[in-house]
Amino acid sequence: MSQPPAGLWEALQASSSKPRPKSHLLSSFPNAIADVSDSTDSETTNQYDLLCPREGCGSVILKKGVARLKERESLQIEPSDIPAHPLLPALPSSSESIHWWLVTPSPMEFENIGFSRPVESLSLSPSGKKLKLLACAECDLGPLGWSEEGGNEFWLVCSRVGYRSD
Ligand SMILES: [Zn+2]
């Protein structure tokens, strides 16, 4: 068995002891969405950095002020062959409106985000395109949201991301 390169263990230790941003779930805020959004006359943006909701990950997904708050119909983003992750709240049926963070116009707006390939087993988007799913780029937790194949809008579920509120 070959030895690991010198210095490897120190590097791992340094990275595991690095403080991770603490991720607060939307459900932990008394006024829910009002506590994590910032409104001006024209639009409402995310008041805090958006993080991976998994404790111990906390990867920064998006900087504060980058996304706009939108209310629109829910969408089926769980592929039917993959069970929903227990950390991710279930989404209501598509006749109900939910809160989303809308990110435009390109994936460059994100700090870290993972994309799936277009998912064949999901319904098409409201405008008839195949969906791509968004996940944490570090630990693959998802789906946290969706975009259309070739689209320039990226929709994150407000209840499926964490908030860096301290
Ligand atoms: Zn993560």
Side-chain angles (χ1 to χ4, degrees):
M1 203 177 127
S2 61
Q3 290 293 309
L8 178 71
W9 302 122
E10 287 81 351
L12 287 175
Q13 217 159 35
S15 101
S16 68
S17 62
K18 187 180 72 175
R20 292 258 171 191
K22 188 157 167 25
S23 199
H24 297 268
L25 300 178
L26 187 60
S27 55
S28 70
F29 294 89
N31 302 307
I33 203 75
D35 285 344
V36 298
S37 55
D38 228 352
S39 291
T40 64
D41 289 346
S42 56
E43 60 183 18
T44 302
T45 59
N46 54 311
Q47 193 186 341
Y48 303 111
D49 292 350
L50 305 185
L51 307 174
C52 171
R54 192 198 297 271
E55 204 179 327
C57 178
S59 173
V60 179
I61 295 172
L62 193 78
K63 288 290 190 189
K64 65 180 176 184
V66 175
R68 279 170 292 147
L69 182 66
K70 297 284 171 187
E71 254 189 279
R72 71 176 289 178
E73 71 273 17
S74 179
L75 195 67
Q76 184 57 47
I77 56 172
E78 240 76 51
S80 48
D81 49 342
I82 303 174
H85 194 283
L87 277 175
L88 301 175
L91 299 184
S93 74
S94 55
S95 55
E96 266 180 71
S97 274
I98 62 169
H99 286 110
W100 301 86
W101 294 118
L102 171 61
V103 181
T104 57
S106 96
M108 299 301 293
E109 299 296 321
F110 289 94
E111 299 301 304
N112 294 290
I113 194 73
F115 282 92
S116 74
R117 266 176 269 196
V119 183
E120 303 289 342
S121 63
L122 283 173
S123 308
L124 298 175
S125 74
S127 59
K129 303 259 178 51
K130 277 189 199 143
L131 295 182
K132 296 172 79 166
L133 300 177
L134 278 51
C136 172
E138 279 196 41
C139 74
D140 286 333
L141 178 62
L144 306 177
W146 61 277
S147 69
E148 292 177 337
E149 187 175 21
N152 56 9
E153 295 184 347
F154 306 89
W155 297 83
L156 291 166
V157 184
C158 294
S159 62
R160 289 192 170 195
V161 292
Y163 298 85
R164 191 184 203 162
S165 59
D166 59 22

